[in-house]
Amino acid sequence: MNIIKLNAIDSTSLFLKDLSKKGSLENFTTVVADAQFKGKGQMNTQWHSADGKNLLFTVYVVLTGLSIGLAPCVSFLAALKTRAVLDEILGTKTKIQIKWPNDIMSYNQKIAGILVENKIKKDTISETFIGIGLNVNQLEFPDFLPNATSMSAISGVDYNRDTILKQILNEFKKVLTVDYIVDNKELIKKEYLSYLFKLNIPSMFKDKQGNVFMAKVINVSDEGLLIVEKEDEVQYSYAVKEISFL
C-alpha cells in the first residue's frame, strides 16, 4: 500500500487532490496525518481532533467509468467497511451503526465521519477521494462535541492506529471496484439499510429553512436521498444539505 504519513497538514484531502493533479497516483494511495488544521466534514463543517490520537486520512480510489448513478454505492461501501472494521475490533462492547449519509455511530455517539468526493467526467466517476476522521485514542472532547466518543473510550484499550488504518484499507480494496459495485448494487444498499441509525424510529429533524419536525427514517433512495415519513404519514425526500438530525 502506498501510505504517505504527515505530522501536520491543512487537510489530507486537499494534499491528496494536489498530488493527483501533478501526476497519476497508484490506486488506494492514502495520506494520513497526526494533525489536521482544515479537516472538512459534511456540509463544510470542520472535523476536530486531538493531535496524534486519532486517524485522519484520505484514500484515493480509481473508479474509471462508474456511472454517476452509482455514486451513492461508493458512499455506502465506505461507511459499511469502516463500520465492519470497528465492529470486528470492538465486538459486543458497542452497537455500531451508520447515520445517514455516512457518519459512524456507537449508540447515540459519533465515532467517525466520512466525506466522499467524486471527480466526474461525462456522467461517469473517474476518481474518488474518501476522507475519514476516526476517533481512536482520544478520551476527552470539547464541550461543543457532546456526542463524540472514541474506540478507546468505549473499550478502555489504547489502539495502534497504523493497524486499524491497514484493516480499513484492506476492506476497501475488496469492494471499491467498478465491477464489484455494478454487480452488487442491490446488496450494497440492502446491507447499508440494515445498519442505518434510527431506521423506523420517530426522531426530531430540522430542515434548511429551520423548521423542526418529528419524522421517522424509512428508506434511502437509490440516489442517496433520505426518505422520511412525517406525522401526516406523507413521505418526503431530502438531500444532505436539506435536513439534519436533532
Side-chain angles (χ1 to χ4, degrees):
M1 296 181 189
N2 185 15
I3 299 176
I4 302 168
K5 294 184 178 181
L6 304 171
N7 290 328
I9 192 69
D10 53 355
S11 161
T12 58
S13 178
L14 291 174
F15 185 90
L16 194 51
K17 287 176 184 176
D18 286 341
L19 275 184
S20 72
K21 292 174 184 175
K22 294 174 182 176
S24 60
L25 288 179
E26 179 184 338
N27 199 10
F28 295 101
T29 293
T30 300
V31 174
V32 57
D34 281 336
Q36 195 171 230
F37 307 123
K38 294 181 181 178
K40 190 171 68 171
Q42 296 288 353
M43 296 181 286
N44 293 316
T45 57
Q46 190 168 353
W47 183 264
H48 298 270
S49 174
D51 294 358
K53 293 289 186 180
N54 304 316
L55 270 175
L56 308 168
F57 64 100
T58 300
V59 187
Y60 170 83
V61 184
V62 177
L63 292 169
T64 305
L66 183 69
S67 167
I68 192 173
L70 292 176
C73 285
V74 180
S75 181
F76 295 163
L77 284 172
L80 281 168
K81 292 307 171 182
T82 302
R83 193 217 72 85
V85 169
L86 295 181
D87 190 63
E88 180 181 350
I89 294 171
L90 296 171
T92 58
K93 295 181 184 295
T94 189
K95 181 180 181 181
I96 306 296
Q97 292 182 295
I98 301 167
K99 180 180 175 183
W100 177 85
N102 44 27
D103 282 344
I104 309 299
M105 306 293 289
S106 168
Y107 292 100
N108 289 314
Q109 293 182 295
K110 184 174 176 178
I111 192 170
I114 301 173
L115 181 64
V116 178
E117 298 175 286
N118 297 305
K119 188 172 180 180
I120 308 299
K121 286 185 178 179
K122 296 181 180 178
D123 295 327
T124 63
I125 297 171
S126 58
E127 52 193 14
T128 293
F129 299 86
I130 302 174
I132 298 180
L134 170 59
N135 296 330
V136 180
N137 293 320
Q138 185 170 345
L139 295 177
E140 296 182 1
F141 295 90
D143 291 340
F144 57 82
L145 296 175
N147 296 320
T149 190
S150 70
M151 296 176 68
S152 188
I154 291 167
S155 67
V157 175
D158 191 72
Y159 293 96
N160 183 304
R161 291 177 295 151
D162 288 342
T163 300
I164 296 168
L165 174 62
K166 289 175 182 176
Q167 284 181 258
I168 293 173
L169 293 179
N170 281 331
E171 290 299 314
F172 280 5
K173 290 176 77 172
K174 294 175 185 177
V175 299
L176 288 175
T177 68
V178 173
D179 287 346
Y180 183 90
I181 293 169
V182 171
D183 292 343
N184 295 280
K185 55 186 179 181
E186 290 87 3
L187 183 63
I188 292 167
K189 182 183 171 184
K190 183 178 179 181
E191 185 180 3
Y192 177 83
L193 289 173
S194 73
Y195 293 113
L196 195 60
F197 180 72
K198 298 283 190 180
L199 182 66
N200 293 318
I201 297 174
S203 305
M204 294 299 295
F205 294 90
K206 183 169 71 174
D207 63 23
K208 63 181 180 181
Q209 286 80 30
N211 300 311
V212 175
F213 58 91
M214 179 76 74
K216 60 182 179 181
V217 176
I218 60 169
N219 204 349
V220 174
S221 73
D222 291 342
E223 296 74 33
L225 301 177
L226 187 70
I227 302 174
V228 303
E229 184 177 281
K230 295 186 180 181
E231 293 177 297
D232 58 6
E233 298 185 350
V234 176
Q235 295 180 12
Y236 300 82
S237 299
Y238 294 93
V240 172
K241 296 183 179 181
E242 297 176 341
I243 190 174
S244 58
F245 284 88
L246 289 180

